[in-house]
Amino acid sequence: MKLAELAKRSGSWLQGEGPLAGIVISSRVRLARNLAGYPFLSRCDHQQKLEIQEFLRQQTSELATAEPLEYINIDEAEALDQQLLVERHLISRQHAEANGARGMAYSASEKISIMINEEDHLRLQALQPGLRLDEAWQEVDALDDLFEAKMDYAFSSRLGYLTACPTNVGTGIRVSVMLHLPGLKMSGQMEKVIRSARDMHLAVRGLHGEGTQAAGDFYQVSNQRTLGASEQQIIDEFKNGVVPRIVDYEQKTRDKLLTEHAHFVDDKAFRALGTLQNARTISSEESLELLSHLRMGVTLDRVSGLKLDTLNELFLRTQAAHLQQIENRTMSAEERGVARAKYIRQELNPN
Amino acid sequence: MKLAELAKRSGSWLQGEGPLAGIVISSRVRLARNLAGYPFLSRCDHQQKLEIQEFLRQQTSELATAEPLEYINIDEAEALDQQLLVERHLISRQHAEANGARGMAYSASEKISIMINEEDHLRLQALQPGLRLDEAWQEVDALDDLFEAKMDYAFSSRLGYLTACPTNVGTGIRVSVMLHLPGLKMSGQMEKVIRSARDMHLAVRGLHGEGTQAAGDFYQVSNQRTLGASEQQIIDEFKNGVVPRIVDYEQKTRDKLLTEHAHFVDDKAFRALGTLQNARTISSEESLELLSHLRMGVTLDRVSGLKLDTLNELFLRTQAAHLQQIENRTMSAEERGVARAKYIRQELNPN
């Protein structure tokens, strides 16, 4: 376990002071890129994958980024280190679980991360707390320029950037926000939101993106369109149209719940607090659900004396790999339940 | 609501200091009696019922009991007063819900209560905290002597006391204990206990006797046999045989749970505490269940700073009629949920 120190840090993208931080947890922009002169990964042989990895690792190490980048060879990393990076949203679950030569790099603030040999040869990601899509775009765009100055990307003047999956062709951009929507969930309106989002060609996914369930009332909303518009147009549409609409809907629903069913809202939040402060064993699913209820109570000023940062960090550090990294040993699910409950009690009980 | 003051008192039979009070909540002995010269109630007309009620009310008022008895005309009582008496185990649910001339009387300590025109003309009950069947028997026997000195009971020298239901013929005695068996419940052994009890001709019922569910892990165990043995024999068999065996089984199960699954026991007890200290609305069923888990934690010395008395009183006063009597108004189920949660928070939170 090389990443134990990382587990103890709080991702700067999780600090609860970003714009609309009560509802928008984080903003993310990622770009998909491939090297000219190599086939897409599904058609690469072992040797080619190794070459790509080695080339991109070398190039990454020479980049003049503002923050230095730490490189991890994912193929050789321990399972708990791989899982930790997934839990911190620095790599995808698919990247952790794949086989073959592959790597990643991240900046100390974790606002920048890079995947090598995931679905594409290169994936660049910028992560920011709250609703900060412009900042994320600027970060990832600058990183992209640094790479592009050093290599030839697979690019078509007609189609734009070429990618392994046709849905990414063109700009190769994916813009996403992580939203906390307990009000819409409690009031049974999430189905409607998901349907409308689909009508607007958006994807609504769970906490860890593609193929994951919406746990703890967290939803990742992202664009599907990558072709026929500039990156800035895609971001503006997202930032000015879709996101404020969902945020406004959630906010109005919370206000309505509070006006008409204050006991219900308080009951959810305080029961969550009472259980979290007292449980002697707790699963990650239940922790997520209760932390979500508590987070809503805190953002609505119903529960006092708790910082959003504390809760955001608990979301992160109560996950399985984080717990084990912090305790520096592998644990069974039963042991994790006990350790998780203990850790939460320490964080949520005064003195 | 005439009984609001009663609602605020703690039944002395609920004070947690009786023998084996961690497991045996209370001991009860009741006698079924009928007047000679009148048919059983099912065959009485309106006028006869009135006569019996009036006669027994008059006789009750003249009894030289140690504590004075308070008489309540159940037929004319408000529904909330009737329900309060049921919740305090002073009358049966059947008696509250019946029609026609009927009454009850109780002593200030609530250790003695009398029902007039329930299933039999007269039912005498003595209630004691903990395992105190001899005391209960002596109390009810003395009361029975006082009545018998003033009237003729329906009695057959061959069968003994005659009662409306053949299962009570003979001694007319029913001996019962209220047991708190969360250990046996949690470990899935209650079915076995109930089967064995039936084999020993015992009935196992819920919190409010006949026809009620076992709520909050409370079970009322009572004899079925009333014929062919003396009252003292029936009590001795119960007191020395059945009860200690179940109590011992529960105690061993609790000890085993604690040795082998301490986290599980603590988790149940502390989660209950956390929820009860924080909920903003709670049903009577959930209160019972959580108070039960907490009670086990307190009796096993896992949760400190809480008295058994406090919990026993919460069991009593969180019931629907008690809540409304204490607040002195009728409330909807939703209002009761909020009032119940508030009351529990006051009792369980320091300062």
Side-chain angles (χ1 to χ4, degrees), chain A residues 145-160:
Chain A
D145 288 347
L146 292 175
F147 272 104
E148 201 159 15
K150 295 165 69 70
M151 62 193 71
D152 285 331
Y153 282 156
F155 184 83
S156 145
S157 55
R158 191 168 63 89
L159 291 172

Side-chain angles (χ1 to χ4, degrees), chain B residues 63-81:
Chain B
L63 289 186
T65 50
E67 281 188 281
L69 298 173
E70 175 83 12
Y71 186 83
I72 310 272
N73 184 323
I74 295 295
D75 197 28
E76 294 172 358
E78 288 175 47
L80 268 185
D81 285 339

Side-chain angles (χ1 to χ4, degrees), chain A residues 39 63 69-70 123 223 227-228 250 254 256 300 315 348:
Chain A
L63 289 186
L69 298 174
E70 176 83 12
R123 290 216 164 172
N223 72 305
L227 198 61
E250 168 70 18
R254 289 187 189 182
K256 190 164 183 240
L300 287 174
F315 279 111
L348 292 185

Side-chain angles (χ1 to χ4, degrees), chain A residues 11 18 45 52 65 82 94 107 116 121 136 146 155-156 161 170 175 205 220 247 264 267 284 292 297 319 323 336 342:
Chain A
D45 61 24
I52 297 168
T65 49
Q82 294 174 346
Q94 290 75 8
S107 67
I116 293 169
H121 298 157
L146 292 175
F155 184 83
S156 145
Y161 294 102
V175 181
R205 300 190 170 103
Q220 186 181 295
V247 168
F264 174 78
D267 192 54
S284 56
S292 169
Q319 297 176 99
L323 277 176
R336 290 201 300 274
K342 188 176 169 192

Side-chain angles (χ1 to χ4, degrees), chain A residues 63-80:
Chain A
L63 289 186
T65 49
E67 283 187 279
L69 298 174
E70 176 83 12
Y71 187 83
I72 311 273
N73 185 323
I74 295 295
D75 197 30
E76 293 172 359
E78 289 176 45
L80 267 185

